[in-house]
Amino acid sequence: MTYIHKTISDLKHSSPAQAEFYQAVEEVLDSLEPILESSACYQQQAIIQRMVEPERQIMFRVPWMDDNGNIQVNKGYRVEFNSALGPYKGGLRFHPSVNASIIKFLGFEQIFKNALTGLAIGGGKGGANFDPKGRSDAEIMRFCQSFMSELYRHIGPTTDVPAGDIGVGAREIGYMFGQYKRLTGRYEGVLTGKSLLWGGSLVRKEATGYGAVYFADYMLADRGDSLKGKKCLVSGAGNVAIYAIEKLYQLGAVPVSCSDSRGALYHEKGIDLVLLKQLKEECSECLDKYLETHSDAKYVPVADYPEDGNAVWRFTAEAAFPCATQNELSETDAQALIANGCVVVSEGANMPSTAKAVDVFIEAKIAYGPGKAANAGGVATSQLEMAQNASMQSWTFEKVDERLKEIMKNIFDTANNTATEFGQPGNLVFGANIAGFKRVADAMIEQGIV
Ligand code: GLU
């Protein structure tokens, strides 16, 4: 049994029943053979065994009272995965699907994503199995305060800096920041994704979506092509999807779809972004209301969709931006995209394509940007927020956007050049995994056995 297979099989034994975590680990380790062969030190130093084990995992009870006076209990998590390159950095996800496997897969991805940005940030992730859907503002506040009443003792601006993810936006960050400040008496950059009124950074809200589109444009430029005039499928209807759609329009592309957990929306003429933003403010999971304004659009409810995967990927387009959630794009979806002429896929979400879907993209040799490279613009801009907080400055929109573009270009170049160097030109999964691994592994070796 090879070193890699043994590590995976030991992991399945020591951390049972964590399917998403194994998927994320296997995807990275599958790429590492050439670099492990190039230098014996990684194996001698047990780097892979050390990397798959989080430095620290915190699990805690989050009790809170709902508006009817009933006591609710949720599970809270923070996984501090790897601090070789800097303070733990990564978002908090509030979603009913959250469990230890989901948080560990996200934390593991975050290590390599953060390494690829070239910035000084380690990897972490957290969240709770709390469902914000249908909860009042007062309930959200009480939940966030209870969550922070435990988390505050584990985080700090130079130790662990959480941010948002699914279900956690500026409002939740605000309530958590308020509670942190109340408990510690400190006003400091302990969270990113803050409001612009009190320490947030311009472009942070837009950064993940914009970054995924910049990344697609860099992939295409390398192939002598561009996004201009291309029909693009986008999934999701949250922050990432909305700002991917906005940037696609700015670059002359035509985004024709979006989706939520209830259904997929397709509008041949191009998604009406003003209306989409308005629907997001007014109601949740209500994309079908779009048809009240645009009767020429099409809506496919999830309940009516007979196949696995997501109806959004069955429409015809040249580009795809999965911006919803993990494993939302199946092998058959990937085959349908290729058969319909899709030439570029750039992932705004974390691990949205299943392992088999990724194989289809690599096999077809289309331009495929895996999430850990293509969606790194969000966390990179969080680091720019940390830099502004630490130096008590706020930068202009143009300055932050310029930095974001540069970072996305660097990530593309690093992944692309590494893929070529290790013998698989054009394979950015392989290139991103090796480049991310190398930076973290070399730092770990220099810092000794800790
Ligand atoms: N949740 C985002 C991600 O998946 C952002 C994390 C951050 O800004 O720290 O990368």
Side-chain angles (χ1 to χ4, degrees), residues 89-91 110 113 125 161 163-165 192 204 350 375 378-379 382:
K89 184 82 200 83
Q110 201 83 44
K113 182 196 309 196
K125 200 85 186 191
V161 186
D165 195 85
T192 60
R204 176 62 192 89
N350 290 311
N375 75 36
V379 75
S382 274

